Amino acid sequence: ARGDALVAELRARVLAVAVRAASLNPKPTVANIEWMDPLMTAGNWMPELVEMAGGVNLFGEAGKHSPRLEWRDVVAQQPDVLLISPCGFGISRTRQELARLEVRAGWSDLRAVREGRVFVADGNAYFHRPGPRLVESLEILAEILHPASFRFGHQGAGWIRHPS
């Protein structure tokens, strides 16, 4: 009974975010970086979470492994939001490694960089581990993509704006 109640509560949280986010506009485009060298975007459940949080996922397909990504494609797509959440890295480690992206040609020309919409998230604790914490991952995405509409209190622990 406790397990059923927990599952029902998690589903209700997911549904609440998805329903609220569906009515929000604009829907920012998102490039989700799962690994920096080689450059990879997030697949599996991440494209679906981005959509449920009110964004438009630019790279990777729901239900498929995380594919490699060409930097020139990121630059060409000009994402509104750049989410950097490497698999296995927390926020501190990701910040240490971020220079791998910042030195790439076109970094400072990206719309997300110019508009201050680059975010570092804890890929180790959230995003890249299947399980109940994916609900919190969805909430983090909603906070990042629609900060005026969602506040779950994950900023600082689950994600930060870069540079902070």
Side-chain angles (χ1 to χ4, degrees), residues 7-23 49 52-53 134-135 138-139 150 152:
V7 168
E9 186 262 330
L10 293 172
R11 285 184 175 156
R13 285 169 59 192
V14 167
L15 184 61
V17 171
V19 167
R20 189 170 180 192
S23 67
L49 289 180
M52 284 193 296
L134 288 179
V135 176
L138 173 62
E139 292 171 347
F150 293 102
F152 295 103

Side-chain angles (χ1 to χ4, degrees), residues 114-138:
R114 290 190 326 267
E115 295 179 2
R117 297 195 73 190
V118 176
F119 302 92
V120 172
D122 189 331
N124 187 50
Y126 302 100
F127 304 102
H128 307 298
R129 293 178 184 258
R133 284 200 118 175
L134 288 179
V135 176
E136 292 168 285
S137 302
L138 173 62

Side-chain angles (χ1 to χ4, degrees), residues 8 11 19 36 41 49 51 60 63-64 91 105 107 127 142 156 158 160:
R11 285 184 175 156
V19 167
M36 292 180 268
T41 188
L49 289 180
E51 300 286 334
K64 296 197 176 185
I91 291 172
W107 168 266
F127 304 102
I160 61 167

Side-chain angles (χ1 to χ4, degrees), residues 22-93:
S23 67
L24 299 175
N25 285 301
K27 302 215 179 299
T29 58
V30 179
N32 188 351
I33 306 300
E34 183 175 310
W35 201 246
M36 292 180 268
D37 191 12
L39 190 63
M40 295 175 73
T41 188
N44 300 307
W45 47 82
M46 285 304 297
E48 186 177 4
L49 289 180
V50 168
E51 300 286 334
M52 284 193 296
V56 176
N57 189 67
L58 291 175
F59 306 104
E61 288 185 54
K64 296 197 176 185
H65 292 296
S66 300
R68 286 194 177 196
L69 180 63
E70 295 295 328
W71 180 249
R72 68 178 173 266
D73 294 333
V74 176
V75 173
Q77 287 291 324
Q78 285 296 312
D80 297 315
V81 171
L82 187 57
L83 176 65
I84 305 160
S85 62
C87 182
F89 287 6
I91 291 172
S92 178
R93 177 69 187 274

